[in-house]
Amino acid sequence: MKILKIAALSAVFAAQFALAQFKQTPLPYAYNALEGNIDAQTMEIHYSKHAAAYVANLNKAIAGTPQEKQTLFQILSNVSKLPAAVRNNAGGHYNHELFWTVLTPEKNTQPSAKLAKAINDAFGSMDAFKEKMSKAGADRFGSGWAWLSVDKNGKLFVSSTPNQDNPLMDVVEEKGTPIFGIDVWEHAYYLKYQNKRADYLAAIWNVTNWKEISRRYEEAISKK
């Protein structure tokens, strides 16, 4: 009887997993790859607990609804019409999937010539952009994100959103395609930096993946 019960539970779990619309992408580096800037314990908890919960809860929230067959972009672009559980978890899943890719253990990556020019045109200089981006993260009250995005005209802008919102959502004031995001929830930095969010924001620039951000920029402007 016990064996049959275990088999039945396993079958239920397998069926639920098979129906899951969304899944985590494997982390593109080891948990300890960003040590010195982001510690291994934070990365492991952030990826395997917090981010994993977003995708699991998203799949649960959309089960049996039309959103089960939609893309993440479709869900986010109409999120004002959906329950809070979908908004929070769809945002959390998208935001973290982007976040892992715009960090790298590779040293001194550089933006492409096109992206560098766009940053200079929009903000005056790379240093001015970094200052604006860091300020967006530092000034976000409570939990949220700082974003570099491309607007509908192909121009760059910096913005900040609360909780797990992002510029793709139809609920935000400044809409666009995110190409870089910094997570300023406390779980992203508290083990190493405690209440010193500014130190975490400064350290992010040591592990910023400009190759990926440039790729996302090229992709975004190609669709304008």
Side-chain angles (χ1 to χ4, degrees):
M1 181 63 71
K2 185 176 181 180
I3 293 174
L4 289 174
K5 185 176 181 180
I6 292 172
L9 289 172
S10 298
V12 170
F13 176 81
Q16 289 176 338
F17 185 80
L19 290 172
Q21 165 104 12
F22 299 107
K23 299 176 184 177
Q24 277 188 292
T25 302
L27 198 66
Y29 35 75
Y31 291 133
N32 65 354
L34 308 181
E35 277 284 3
N37 299 287
I38 301 176
D39 60 286
Q41 186 180 16
T42 293
M43 286 300 299
E44 181 173 4
I45 295 170
H46 199 173
Y47 177 83
S48 67
K49 302 299 183 183
H50 291 286
Y54 287 121
V55 69
N57 289 331
L58 172 59
N59 287 326
K60 182 179 178 180
I62 64 174
T65 74
Q67 285 67 52
E68 197 171 31
K69 298 180 180 179
Q70 292 181 350
T71 66
L72 196 53
F73 177 79
Q74 289 172 321
I75 292 172
L76 294 174
S77 61
N78 293 285
V79 81
S80 64
K81 304 177 182 68
L82 302 173
V86 177
R87 173 178 174 173
N88 293 336
N89 291 297
H93 180 45
Y94 175 88
N95 296 351
H96 286 88
E97 288 288 287
L98 181 148
F99 186 58
W100 313 131
T101 70
V102 297
L103 303 178
T104 181
E106 185 178 349
K107 302 300 182 184
N108 301 315
T109 65
Q110 299 296 322
S112 67
K114 283 186 178 181
L115 178 55
K117 182 180 185 304
I119 287 173
N120 287 333
D121 289 346
F123 308 108
S125 68
M126 176 61 78
D127 286 342
F129 156 67
K130 288 182 177 180
E131 183 177 350
K132 188 176 181 70
M133 186 79 173
S134 295
K135 188 175 188 302
D139 290 352
R140 167 51 55 191
F141 181 78
S143 301
W145 292 75
W147 299 102
L148 174 64
S149 304
V150 179
D151 70 15
K152 63 182 181 181
N153 298 313
K155 304 298 184 182
L156 293 174
F157 69 93
V158 166
S159 65
S160 176
T161 57
N163 303 316
Q164 293 297 349
D165 288 356
N166 65 57
L168 289 174
M169 292 181 172
D170 63 345
V171 295
V172 299
E173 292 183 8
E174 297 179 273
K175 298 180 181 64
T177 303
I179 62 172
F180 179 41
I182 303 177
D183 188 344
V184 293
W185 282 62
E186 286 189 343
H187 65 237
Y189 63 87
Y190 205 82
L191 291 180
K192 180 175 177 64
Y193 296 99
Q194 285 79 54
N195 64 320
K196 300 174 183 177
R197 183 187 288 185
D199 290 352
Y200 160 72
L201 290 167
I204 282 288
W205 301 112
N206 298 326
V207 290
T208 298
N209 187 352
W210 284 109
K211 291 180 180 178
E212 174 62 15
I213 298 167
S214 297
R215 185 196 68 76
R216 288 177 178 270
Y217 173 70
E218 300 276 353
E219 181 179 66
I221 61 172
S222 72
K223 297 177 180 178
K224 302 302 178 184

